[in-house]
Amino acid sequence: MSEKECISLVPLHSSENSSSRTNYSRTNLGSLVAAPPLFDQTQFDIVLRRQHSRQEGKPKFTAVPSRFLNLTNDFEFAGWGSISHLTLVPEDIHQGDVELTSFREQQVLGQFTASALAANDILGGVFYTLPSVVALAGVYSPISLFVAALTLFLWRPVMEEMASALPISGAPYTYLLNVSTKSVALFGAALLLLDFSATAVVSAATATSYLAGEVSLPFPVYVGAAFVFVLFTVVSLSGLRESARVATGVLAMHVVVMIMLIVASVIAWGRGGMAQFRSNWSLGHVGLSPAAIARQVFNGVCIGMLGLTGFECAPSYTSKMKQNCYPKVLRNLHLSALVLTSGVMLLVMALLPLDVVESGNNILSLLAQKVAGRWLRIMVVVDAVVVLCAGVLTGILSACELLEKLSCDLILPRVFLATVPATGAPYVAVISFIAFSALIYASTGANLVVISQMFAMVWLAVMALFPVSLLLLRFSRPRLPRASQCSLFVVAGAISVTVTVAAGNVAIDPTIAGWFALYLIILLVLFYTSQNKVTILRWVYWAYDQLPWLHRRQFTKGWGDGLIRHMRKLRRQEVCLLVKTDEINNLFNMILYVRRNEETSHLKIVHFHSGDIPSEMEANARILDEAFPEITVDLMFVEGQFDPKNLAALAHHLKIPRSLMFMSSPGPNFRYSVAELGTRIISI
């Protein structure tokens, strides 16, 4: 055995006398105890000697067995790291300032504009929720819808606390990414994408169906839905500002029409009295026991939650909102849903016969005809079509935010970040989402009932992610500063309501769970395959290794080298660890997170300083570089303050996106927002 393969038990720099000498110190009680060993009596200097004996570009240990019996495994060694010092140049600092300014200028959505993007989805739900609720709850529909809307009082404080701690777009996927592992976050991403797709499909198909219920269309409903998709693809490609203005205009029109309908209905109710309401009430609960009535109300609540869809879309574009705007947006969305759905349903029961309500799909147009005549009915129909179409816009915008996040996190290809030069709209993300939504619609045979059933389960699952994310945040990132904090009883209540309502929906129609599971599994397989490309290729390489006869064939003998090149290409993206201290246990856990969650072979440990450098940082970095042979661990000292501008400048200098820069959780006294940093929180 050579000298390099041995570890001496005698300190390298100690003499014969010093090696046998033991240091003692006296305690306060007078007894003698062994004192800590001197530096030259420890094994630490042996570790340093081993670092100096590295062979450039070759693994330290060659006696470790390989899983590949016939092919090389040298590709699993990433190379030795380096230590460097960096001073940011004016060009980098200027670029950092530009990026920070650009981020702040993107916060263009005010209270009402931001509310409009999601409100069109929530308030548009009144057109397709009322018939479904009436079919199950009957005359008790107003009660069911009111109770369903009340449940959002549990979610509002939960969502406000999460957004104050992590004011970043793409939630709840980005919440899960910052408080748990990437695998858990991908589960949330799959649910979100299904939710946005179902929002777009149901809105487009319902708009066409509503129109077909009033006039004779020269084409099938699915053709009209396709036309809506095309129209709002063009609108989305015009950019976020223009899309937000369109949403605001649509919402203003919807509010005006609904006010006209409500005022006309109240006047008609005052003139006609309570006769119709008493008649409907008498017919609605004839022969029903208290248990049957409670069951009807509960079933109505389960289906009535569909009228709240769109509430989960607001967190997906939080970073585009102005400061302190988010709680007001949630309040606006909640109160509008609380008043409109149950209020309009009450007017329907007071003015229309129960058999007409239960047999008609276009309930609001029938109400408009009853209280004001043909002219208001036409306005309601036009309003329904336009508002439901705007729900497609909400789904597209929310999905684009999510797809961009997935691309920045190396789950989807970087091509999803491509934008239209004139508007900055992510055209690849928009077109891909529309194609995915159309595929789901076509795979069900253009069956709106199936999509709606899946929509109910997906929405409940997405809403459950918010309280679950908050629990994970409080457990794993308790130091993150936040503006508000809700009770754990509220969090538990939100989770309990989600489980109860989901079980109720499955009890109403068990096929809901089947469709939900089918599409969720398909998306999860796609996401996890994309996330673990290198792992899959390593398995393919292993299978190729087990078949030696393939190594001799002219056509297949180069497959091994091709797989190695592809694996190295996929792992070439560098990532950064932003560290404050030199504690090796913290550094080790952070690198372990990278190895488990990112497919990379190159990692940079970055420490910002103003002249004082932790004493053990270099030595610990060298030890970690040896401990992880599959990752090159570089150490970089950057002179300057740790702030968003310098961080953006560093990202520009290193050509590493800030989404691939990881850090520990900032404390309550940290001056900057996590959104401004643009980094990922990976430890407590």
Side-chain angles (χ1 to χ4, degrees), residues 98-110:
V98 169
E99 291 188 17
L100 184 60
T101 302
S102 175
F103 168 79
R104 291 170 177 169
E105 289 178 349
Q106 289 179 4
Q107 297 175 321
V108 298
L109 301 180

Side-chain angles (χ1 to χ4, degrees), residues 391-432:
V392 180
L393 178 64
T394 301
I396 293 173
L397 293 177
S398 302
C400 287
E401 289 282 352
L402 176 62
L403 293 175
E404 288 182 57
K405 290 290 183 183
L406 292 174
S407 181
C408 291
D409 295 328
L410 301 184
I411 297 168
L412 295 178
R414 305 287 290 181
V415 69
F416 279 85
L417 298 176
T419 59
V420 178
T423 64
Y427 67 91
V428 176
V430 170
I431 295 174
S432 299

Side-chain angles (χ1 to χ4, degrees), residues 86-156:
L86 173 66
T87 300
L88 295 171
V89 299
E91 178 187 353
D92 295 327
I93 296 175
H94 172 72
Q95 184 63 32
D97 191 44
V98 169
E99 291 188 17
L100 184 60
T101 302
S102 175
F103 168 79
R104 291 170 177 169
E105 289 178 349
Q106 289 179 4
Q107 297 175 321
V108 298
L109 301 180
Q111 174 186 166
F112 297 105
T113 308
S115 299
L117 288 171
N120 284 314
D121 195 11
I122 291 181
L123 301 184
V126 71
F127 293 109
Y128 55 80
T129 303
L130 298 190
S132 302
V133 176
V134 169
L136 292 174
V139 73
Y140 306 104
S141 297
I143 300 175
S144 297
L145 290 169
F146 186 73
V147 173
L150 285 178
T151 60
L152 289 184
F153 278 112
L154 294 172
W155 269 277
R156 275 177 57 188

Side-chain angles (χ1 to χ4, degrees), residues 50-299:
R50 292 171 61 203
Q51 304 297 327
H52 291 305
S53 66
R54 295 173 174 178
Q55 299 180 34
E56 185 67 27
K58 296 183 179 180
K60 178 67 182 180
F61 303 108
T62 57
V64 178
S66 171
R67 65 170 58 88
F68 307 111
L69 303 179
N70 302 297
L71 300 174
T72 179
N73 69 333
D74 287 349
F75 67 92
E76 294 188 322
F77 175 67
W80 297 114
S82 61
I83 298 175
S84 60
H85 294 258
L86 173 66
T87 300
L88 295 171
V89 299
E91 178 187 353
D92 295 327
I93 296 175
H94 172 72
Q95 184 63 32
D97 191 44
V98 169
E99 291 188 17
L100 184 60
T101 302
S102 175
F103 168 79
R104 291 170 177 169
E105 289 178 349
Q106 289 179 4
Q107 297 175 321
V108 298
L109 301 180
Q111 174 186 166
F112 297 105
T113 308
S115 299
L117 288 171
N120 284 314
D121 195 11
I122 291 181
L123 301 184
V126 71
F127 293 109
Y128 55 80
T129 303
L130 298 190
S132 302
V133 176
V134 169
L136 292 174
V139 73
Y140 306 104
S141 297
I143 300 175
S144 297
L145 290 169
F146 186 73
V147 173
L150 285 178
T151 60
L152 289 184
F153 278 112
L154 294 172
W155 269 277
R156 275 177 57 188
V158 170
M159 296 167 74
E160 287 175 14
E161 181 176 347
M162 284 301 305
S164 66
L166 294 168
I168 48 182
S169 295
Y173 160 72
T174 48
Y175 292 163
L176 292 171
L177 188 63
N178 280 272
V179 300
S180 62
T181 64
K182 206 169 186 180
S183 298
V184 175
L186 284 180
F187 180 80
L191 287 175
L192 269 179
L193 193 58
L194 273 181
D195 178 67
F196 299 149
S197 179
T199 298
V201 172
V202 170
S203 297
T206 305
T208 310
S209 299
Y210 209 92
L211 186 60
E214 299 293 330
V215 298
S216 178
L217 296 179
F219 47 79
V221 171
Y222 67 86
V223 175
F227 175 76
V228 172
F229 279 142
V230 172
L231 175 63
F232 279 88
T233 299
V234 175
V235 173
S236 301
L237 293 177
S238 66
L240 178 63
R241 290 176 182 266
E242 287 69 22
S243 300
R245 292 192 186 102
V246 170
T248 304
V250 170
L251 179 63
M253 182 196 72
H254 182 55
V255 170
V256 170
V257 173
M258 287 296 102
I259 289 176
M260 293 172 61
L261 177 63
I262 291 172
V263 170
S265 299
V266 170
I267 294 174
W269 190 5
R271 290 175 177 173
M274 298 290 293
Q276 186 65 65
F277 186 80
R278 291 193 187 99
S279 175
N280 288 340
W281 185 262
S282 299
L283 292 173
H285 70 275
V286 170
L288 294 178
S289 64
I293 293 174
R295 179 68 182 181
Q296 276 195 354
V297 173
F298 175 72
N299 289 342

